[in-house]
């Protein structure tokens, strides 16, 4: 009978990926099987179309934005390490592990700050480092659809930007975004069912 470690040997650079993402070997093995299942044609990488097969993303109003995060810089192919790096943002923070972290090591992908960076980029549609009123309005439209009038959406976008915009430039910077979410439990907000 094959052991988990022998199956994990099939995963390229498994030890490096495990260190970088914090996923256990068992979790990486499940993710690898999920990756291969999504790659129905066996090409060794995923495309946007492959990710659109994930029901949780297909019904999520921000699904396209989340899928975009898997393809930074306009790339068309997603390899397994890239797939796992993005998913690592959704991994719960291990408080014990976080307290024992070597300060010389890079911040874990699932740290609160990296989770906030990930969430910020879902709103920063033009990737200029700020969330404008227009971008906020676009994301709100995606999230609520036709359940709210355009006037109500504009009011919500205006109020949200005004409350977070500390420097008065009419947009929300990453720092302003993090300050406005200081008390929010980001762990509850960043959950996604990819393994299903």
């Amino acid at each position: 009978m094959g052991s988990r470690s022998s199956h994990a040997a099939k995963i390229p650079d498994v030890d490096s990926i495990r260190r970088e993402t914090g996923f256990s070997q068992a979790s990486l093995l499940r993710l690898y099987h999920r990756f291969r299942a999504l790659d129905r044609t066996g090409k060794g990488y995923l495309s946007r179309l492959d990710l659109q097969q994930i029901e949780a993303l297909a019904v999520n109003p921000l699904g396209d934005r989340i899928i975009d995060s898997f393809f930074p810089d306009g790339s068309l192919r997603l390899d397994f390490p890239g797939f796992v790096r993005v998913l690592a943002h959704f991994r719960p923070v291990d408080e014990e592990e976080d307290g024992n972290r070597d300060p010389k090591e890079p911040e874990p992908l699932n740290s609160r700050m990296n989770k906030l960076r990930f969430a910020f980029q879902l709103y920063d549609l033009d990737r200029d480092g700020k969330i404008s009123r227009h971008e906020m309005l676009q994301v709100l439209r995606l999230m609520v659809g036709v359940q709210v009038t355009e006037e109500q959406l504009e009011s919500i976008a205006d109020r949200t930007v005004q409350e977070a915009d500390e420097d008065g430039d009419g947009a929300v910077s990453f720092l302003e975004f993090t300050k406005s979410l200081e008390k929010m439990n980001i762990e509850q907000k960043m959950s996604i069912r990819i393994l299903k």
Side-chain angles (χ1 to χ4, degrees), residues 35-60:
F35 178 87
R36 292 186 58 199
L38 289 168
D39 178 17
R40 292 186 176 159
T41 60
K43 53 195 178 301
Y45 62 88
L46 300 178
S47 66
R48 292 182 61 83
L49 191 58
D50 294 321
L51 293 180
Q52 290 168 344
Q53 298 173 43
I54 300 170
E55 186 179 341
L57 289 176
V59 299
N60 186 321

Side-chain angles (χ1 to χ4, degrees), residues 140-150 152-153:
L140 287 171
R141 280 186 191 120
L142 290 172
M143 292 171 63
V144 298
V146 294
Q147 299 170 4
V148 178
T149 68
E150 186 66 21
Q152 290 171 318
L153 283 176

Side-chain angles (χ1 to χ4, degrees), residues 4 7 16 25 28 33-35 53 75-77 94 103 133 135 153 161 193 196:
R4 282 194 188 269
H7 290 295
S16 172
Q25 191 163 312
L28 284 174
H33 288 299
R34 181 64 170 141
F35 178 87
Q53 298 173 43
S75 60
L76 301 175
R77 295 178 175 193
D94 182 346
R133 176 194 178 276
E135 289 170 318
L153 283 176
V161 170
R193 302 247 341 138
K196 190 174 179 189

Side-chain angles (χ1 to χ4, degrees), residues 127-140:
R127 297 184 176 161
D128 68 348
K130 295 200 172 249
I131 301 170
S132 68
R133 176 194 178 276
H134 177 72
E135 289 170 318
M136 180 65 71
L137 193 53
Q138 281 186 275
V139 172
L140 287 171

Side-chain angles (χ1 to χ4, degrees), residues 65 119-132 135 139 172:
R65 295 293 305 142
F120 182 82
Q121 60 94 25
L122 293 177
Y123 289 86
D124 183 15
L125 304 176
D126 63 7
R127 297 184 176 161
D128 68 348
K130 295 200 172 249
I131 301 170
S132 68
E135 289 170 318
V139 172
V172 179

Side-chain angles (χ1 to χ4, degrees), residues 107-119:
E107 191 171 6
L109 293 172
N110 70 323
S111 70
R112 178 176 174 78
M113 193 56 66
N114 279 328
K115 286 177 187 283
L116 288 169
R117 278 187 195 98
F118 185 88

